[in-house]
Amino acid sequence: MRKFVLKVLKLVPRSELYTSCRYWCNTTIAPSQQNALQCYADDLANDDQLQKWSRSVLEPVANPLDVEAFPNTQPAFNFAAYVNKSPTLKQLVALGVELHKFEKRKGIAQFVLRLDFDRDMREHIRFLADTGVPADMLGEFITKNPLIFKEDLENLQTRINYLQSKSFLPQQITRIVTKDPFWLMFNTKRIDRRLGYFQKNFQLVGDEVRTLATKQPRLITYNLEHVQRNTFSVKEEMGFEADEMKQLLLTKPKIWMMKTEALQYRFDYIHRRMKLTHDQILKTPDLLLTRDFRIKQRHEFLKFLGKTQYDPKQELYIPLKSLAAGTDEQFVTEIAKSNMECYNRFLKTL
């Protein structure tokens, strides 16, 4: 795959590509681009939100096939009808891009059809490869964020320079860009404010900010209103202290991306029904990320067997992690010391 990418891009020395790049962190963005990026706001984390943004930026086209390259095709949002006629689409397919997913996003199909691989894509793909995105991940990256091709290369490089100036290591930058394809859509000022928000509100030091951003980069670009709701829930409704909340954030940052209602319900069950203390939850935060039915089924089965002993200082101790990890068979045979027939019969009573 790597050889293919190199062949497609016909790589030239990186110095030639970025001769005209300006290396500073506070980039100036044209008003039209700034307005477009403003629509990203805090909600680039899922496909539905991306659809909303793309509708506001891309000019609507009644017929996606009304493009000079495809004058004789029939109206459709199906790329299969003209992949064989488009060198650009062939290149994308070869890179592993899942074109059918573009069809589900209004405006994206028209946008991609207007692109020319050599003119509009080659240097962006080269940039991603130089930043460290693995060759076998380029297709997934483009599938998730084809709008990367709207971004100016100088702006993209400036955003990488910003991370370097904040002492992010090369491998950390690679992980951030690879795991969150939308990160590079945020200008340096927005990213700086986001990182500052987490540093201030959770009392993080520099290394902790870098660790958080690297571990879960999507959280940094996630909807801030949602993050604030979950922060309120964890602190005020669940009763975790500031230092405990910080510990949860650094160990399981995905908690702040969960649906607030689901998070509250799960906490209520394990804290009030299972009688687990805050300290026990902090030691096994995976419980907050585990599906409700799995925790309930396993806990109730242990309760049925008279084995709900979660105190490590007591005999017949059951590790809390076993409620979240492993297969049902492993749990039943190795932890509960029972058999699947008994477990399956029990589940029918719930």
Side-chain angles (χ1 to χ4, degrees), residues 168 172 175-176 183 194-195 197-199 202 204-220 227 245-254 256-257:
F168 281 86
Q172 291 178 315
R175 176 178 169 80
I176 287 171
W183 182 288
R194 293 301 187 93
L195 294 177
Y197 168 84
F198 285 99
Q199 182 172 28
F202 296 92
L204 307 179
V205 298
D207 282 342
E208 291 171 335
V209 174
R210 285 184 283 272
T211 297
L212 175 64
T214 304
K215 187 171 186 176
Q216 188 53 265
R218 287 182 59 228
L219 178 60
I220 308 302
V227 172
M245 192 166 59
K246 174 180 176 178
Q247 182 180 336
L248 272 179
L249 177 73
L250 293 176
T251 54
K252 296 296 176 182
K254 195 174 180 180
W256 270 258
M257 298 163 62

Side-chain angles (χ1 to χ4, degrees), residues 291-305:
R291 293 182 178 180
D292 304 325
F293 73 87
R294 172 176 289 188
I295 297 175
K296 181 177 181 180
Q297 289 175 349
R298 295 185 179 186
H299 171 71
E300 294 297 334
F301 185 60
L302 290 174
K303 187 177 180 181
F304 171 72
L305 298 175

Side-chain angles (χ1 to χ4, degrees), residues 2 50 106 126 137 188 217 259 272 306 317 338 345:
R2 178 69 178 175
L50 179 57
K106 189 173 181 179
R126 186 201 310 276
M137 294 290 289
T188 57
K259 290 184 178 179
R272 295 184 172 85
Y317 163 63
S338 183
R345 285 204 306 268

